[in-house]
């Protein structure tokens, strides 16, 4: 799952990013409103964590611009201001949730998972490809009744493929979805995770659903 974090307090941003990355989220970070708006319009995210008090453009304005553009990615707003009018302003500008600083990381994580479960206006709670079921909020996967244990990164790659089941997804698209914006390592890392996924979701069940399309990318099929 891919998260955009827009937070001008760099130490707090690093802490949140580190925690979410450990939970399997791919996290992009912006430290001001304009950069956050640009990232949100240029990339697809599962959820946006947006501070209110930001340089160059405040969080209310960023949220409002996204909604005006028809972007209904779930947004959680963070603020040091704790009052009913601040919460009302956030919700009136199109935010889905609101959390006042200081906050518990456990609560932040639980609320983000709830937002991902709800998703945007057209996003399902779980993804089903044949008898393979992927639960993004719970980071769970099963084939039929059999649970499949995946690492957070394996899950992120599978989730990106399942969202476009039956379509060819290129290596660069998988990198963009499952790794954060700043990743500049070897792109062949994708092949390592594809091989690992095949050993877990296909081979034990006698199936061949994760296909390589030579020169184009990978496709997850139902059959």
């Amino acid at each position: 799952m891919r998260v955009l974090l827009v937070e001008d307090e760099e130490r707090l941003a690093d802490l949140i990013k580190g925690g979410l990355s450990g939970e399997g989220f791919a996290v992009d970070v912006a430290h001001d409103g304009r950069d956050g708006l640009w990232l949100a319009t240029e990339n697809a995210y599962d959820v946006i964590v947006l501070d209110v008090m930001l340089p160059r453009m405040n969080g209310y304005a960023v949220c409002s611009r996204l909604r005006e553009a028809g972007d209904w990615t779930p947004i959680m707003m963070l603020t040091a201001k704790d009052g009913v009018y601040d919460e009302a302003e956030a919700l009136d500008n199109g935010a889905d949730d609101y959390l006042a600083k200081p906050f518990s990381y456990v609560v932040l994580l639980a609320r983000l998972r709830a937002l991902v479960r709800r998703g945007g206006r057209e996003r399902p709670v779980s993804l089903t490809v044949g008898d393979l079921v992927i639960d993004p909020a719970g980071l769970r996967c099963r084939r039929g009744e059999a649970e499949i244990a995946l690492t957070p990164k394996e899950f992120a790659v599978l989730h990106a493929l399942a969202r476009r089941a039956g379509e060819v997804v290129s290596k660069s698209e998988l990198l963009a979805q499952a790794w954060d914006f700043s990743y500049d390592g070897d792109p062949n890392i994708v092949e390592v995770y594809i091989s690992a996924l095949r050993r877990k979701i296909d081979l034990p069940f006698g199936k061949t659903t994760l296909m390589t399309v030579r020169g184009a990318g990978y496709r997850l099929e139902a059959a």
Side-chain angles (χ1 to χ4, degrees):
M1 289 173 283
R2 196 169 181 192
V3 178
L4 173 60
L5 171 61
V6 190
E7 170 58 66
D8 63 325
E9 296 181 40
E10 294 190 18
R11 183 171 177 274
L12 177 59
D14 288 344
L15 288 171
I16 294 174
K17 178 177 180 177
L20 293 178
S21 296
E23 296 289 337
F25 293 85
V27 185
D28 294 338
V29 179
H31 295 300
D32 67 65
R34 289 192 182 278
D35 285 349
L37 180 62
W38 180 81
L39 283 172
T41 54
E42 292 294 317
N43 302 283
Y45 294 100
D46 295 284
V47 65
I48 298 171
V49 181
L50 179 62
D51 191 22
V52 170
M53 304 300 291
L54 293 168
R56 301 178 70 197
M57 179 184 292
N58 68 42
Y60 297 136
V62 173
C63 183
S64 181
R65 293 277 189 91
L66 290 172
R67 296 315 190 218
E68 288 171 0
D71 186 335
W72 292 98
T73 302
I75 294 176
M76 170 178 285
M77 300 200 78
L78 305 177
T79 180
K81 303 163 70 178
D82 185 11
V84 292
Y85 292 106
D86 301 311
E87 182 174 358
E89 186 170 2
L91 298 175
D92 285 344
N93 277 282
D96 298 276
D97 202 355
Y98 177 98
L99 196 57
K101 301 175 185 176
F103 52 81
S104 161
Y105 174 73
V106 173
V107 173
L108 171 66
L109 183 60
R111 289 194 178 187
L112 286 180
R113 283 177 169 160
L115 286 178
V116 171
R117 273 198 301 272
R118 295 207 301 265
R121 289 186 171 181
E122 299 178 358
R123 186 166 295 167
V125 172
S126 61
L127 300 172
T128 302
V129 184
D131 63 348
L132 188 68
V133 180
I134 299 102
D135 172 14
L139 293 179
R140 300 177 67 183
C141 173
R142 61 181 171 84
R143 188 177 283 285
E145 298 301 317
E147 290 281 342
I148 302 172
L150 300 177
T151 68
K153 193 62 70 179
E154 288 168 352
F155 188 92
V157 173
L158 180 60
H159 183 226
L161 290 163
R163 288 172 67 173
R164 294 176 54 187
E167 300 178 21
V168 176
V169 183
S170 70
K171 185 181 296 182
S172 61
E173 288 173 317
L174 287 174
L175 283 169
Q177 287 295 313
W179 280 261
D180 64 54
F181 190 72
S182 61
Y183 179 77
D184 60 356
D186 187 350
N188 290 327
I189 190 68
V190 173
E191 297 172 11
V192 174
Y193 282 93
I194 292 293
S195 295
L197 283 171
R198 286 192 178 117
R199 290 194 297 270
K200 291 185 176 183
I201 70 169
D202 277 351
L203 291 180
F205 304 95
K207 293 180 180 287
T208 307
T209 61
L210 183 44
M211 313 294 294
T212 297
V213 181
R214 191 172 299 277
Y218 306 94
R219 182 175 63 242
L220 182 64
E221 298 181 341

